[in-house]
Amino acid sequence: MHPAAANPIHRLLDEVYAEVQDLDDGEVATYIPELAKADPSICGLAVATLDGDVYTAGDLVPFTIQSVSKPFIYALALADSGPEAVLAKVGAEPTGDPFNTISLDDLTSRAHNPMVNAGAIVTTTMVAGATREEQFERLLSGLSAFAGRPLTVDESVFESESATGHRNRAIAYLMRSAGLLDEDVEQQIANYFRQCSVVVTARDLAVMTATLANAGVNPLTGVEVIPRDVVASVLTVMATCGMYDYSGEWLYRVGLPAKSGVSGAVGAVLPGQLGLAAHSPRLDPQGNSVRGVAACERISERLGLHLLLPGERVRSSLRRTYRADTVRSRRLRSQAQRGVLDAHGAEIVAYELGGDEGFAAVEPLVRIVLEDDKARWVVIDMRRVTRIDRAALALLDGLISQLTIDGGVVGIVEPRSQGARVAVRELAPRCPRFSDADGALEWAETQLLHEHGLDDALPEELVPLAEQDLLRGLPEEIVTAIETRIVTKVFHAGTVVFEEGDESDGLYFVGAGQVAADVRLGGRGGRRRLSTIASGSSFGELALVDGRPRSTRIVAIEPTICFVLSPEAFSELWDASPEACASLAMAIARSLSERLRYSTADVASLEQV
Ligand code: GLU
């Protein structure tokens, strides 16, 4: 175990903490007498990750949250009252005026935005609660949920703020005159003062901003504090209005949505990655923490966190394209069926996607698929898709509709990843779904074969030995020599023909019905189907070649009739008719080598990635 300080994030925070110690310009806020008592030398830094790890440096002392409460309360108001109701009273326009300006947006008669006092006082009244007391409960429990622990109010700061907050009262009465607040202005403004007096540490603030970074879910507690769909609105007003009259330059230099407050706190959000917090009471002329801003600028600069830095170009997510003339499902097919698949398999095309799907990742696929006029069955294999956004869903939806209009048939292989699978379920609900590409290919092949009149044989039609794939074309005497040595076995649907590890009891020809071969998966358990084997095909050839225990399990999936040539019968045949044996051995070798060739083609097509 390395010491905590060995972690590069700790080291970075310690370095930045040491560097900003030298900055001692700026003044502690004094307009609220209690705040004037803050120790100006204090400086604390914290970074919280979305796994719930919190890295800190410096002094993690408690302080009142002040205006840093505003984005969190705005989030609660959006969650409780809905964006329409909130937007009707509070806009999203930066003011260019001080945070405590006594003004309304003249054009719209709304408060300019929720990050200035006018807007914040209004959003405080828009959280759930039948009374002002209940609303305060909601404000406090909401902030606590963001922090992941119960928070309290510093009553002396509240008293001090309430006793001197005449300007805020003036703002509140202006809001009242515009119909944005109710009659009980004093209770409403008291809730606002109380909300500003909630006590946090830099650590709490990092967890709170990490909750916004984590789409509204607290990374420590796992609690969904606000719905995901209000997060973008909160981050937008933080990005444009969160740092008083320094907001534009802050975004320019640091590039993260953030909010600061008069107690010297700054909280910033890197969506999907981290929450950042700094606390140091000396304020610059714009009202932002001198050391807090300097620390955030350095951290953003050194880690390249600016959100608007040029991103990596997003590449196509198409990993592999193949057609059923070269790559087939694992289902064994008769010779006639294979002939049709050789000739027409190119009409079945599978596109394998992988990774995160967005506009730029999916657009090339759309173009390629629509340019392909040979494809009639299209398999969209999304098994390896990890995420899928709205743009990608819209493009895929449009693509599938167009293919359907053009007479094509689309099968979807669902993503393994749960989130992506749920998103994909909304897509083209009528398209057949598969859990893997093999199932989808088998489905498409069966449809293609049906069009060519080559449906799989029905169980009652017995495929005689002479017409079995393995024996087709062998001289009649040889087939007869084999025929006299086989036994017929009948299996009900669902019965196990043999298990993995069973002693080999012979070569099986499927006369009617169908069986499936599967293997047990190591580690995770469960089974994986390798192939389905229909009438006319055979299985268990290896029994005659190496005589070792079975490597797969075989289960009858329909009522099935098999002709079985046991190893004893085979050696008897060896004595009686060496030519019959040699022909059979050659046929087995051909069948095995054919399977090997398909596996090779399958592997070769992986090279297209
Ligand atoms: N309670 C303070 C006020 O409204 C908050 C100010 C701030 O942090 O911006 O005056």
Side-chain angles (χ1 to χ4, degrees), residues 31-32 65-68 70 99 117 161 168 192-193 196 244 259-263:
Y31 78 104
I32 300 170
I65 188 168
Q66 298 297 334
S67 277
V68 183
K70 289 170 180 171
F99 74 100
N117 287 8
E161 182 146 1
N168 281 326
Y192 168 75
F193 289 145
C196 290
Y244 305 114
K259 184 72 196 90
S260 60
V262 286
S263 52

Side-chain angles (χ1 to χ4, degrees), residues 404-417:
T404 314
I405 291 168
D406 297 343
V409 187
V410 180
I412 293 177
V413 180
E414 295 195 315
R416 248 183 321 206
S417 123

Side-chain angles (χ1 to χ4, degrees), residues 145-201:
F146 272 111
R149 71 174 184 100
L151 301 177
T152 55
V153 173
D154 182 328
E155 291 298 335
S156 49
V157 172
F158 166 67
E159 296 296 341
S160 181
E161 182 146 1
S162 181
T164 56
H166 310 304
R167 197 177 171 93
N168 281 326
R169 288 197 174 80
I171 295 171
Y173 279 99
L174 176 66
M175 297 299 118
R176 168 66 194 139
S177 74
L180 302 178
L181 291 185
D182 288 335
E183 200 60 40
D184 56 340
V185 177
E186 285 302 325
Q187 282 96 314
Q188 295 171 81
I189 192 78
N191 273 1
Y192 168 75
F193 289 145
R194 265 183 185 282
Q195 147 201 331
C196 290
S197 308
V198 168
V199 179
V200 291
T201 64

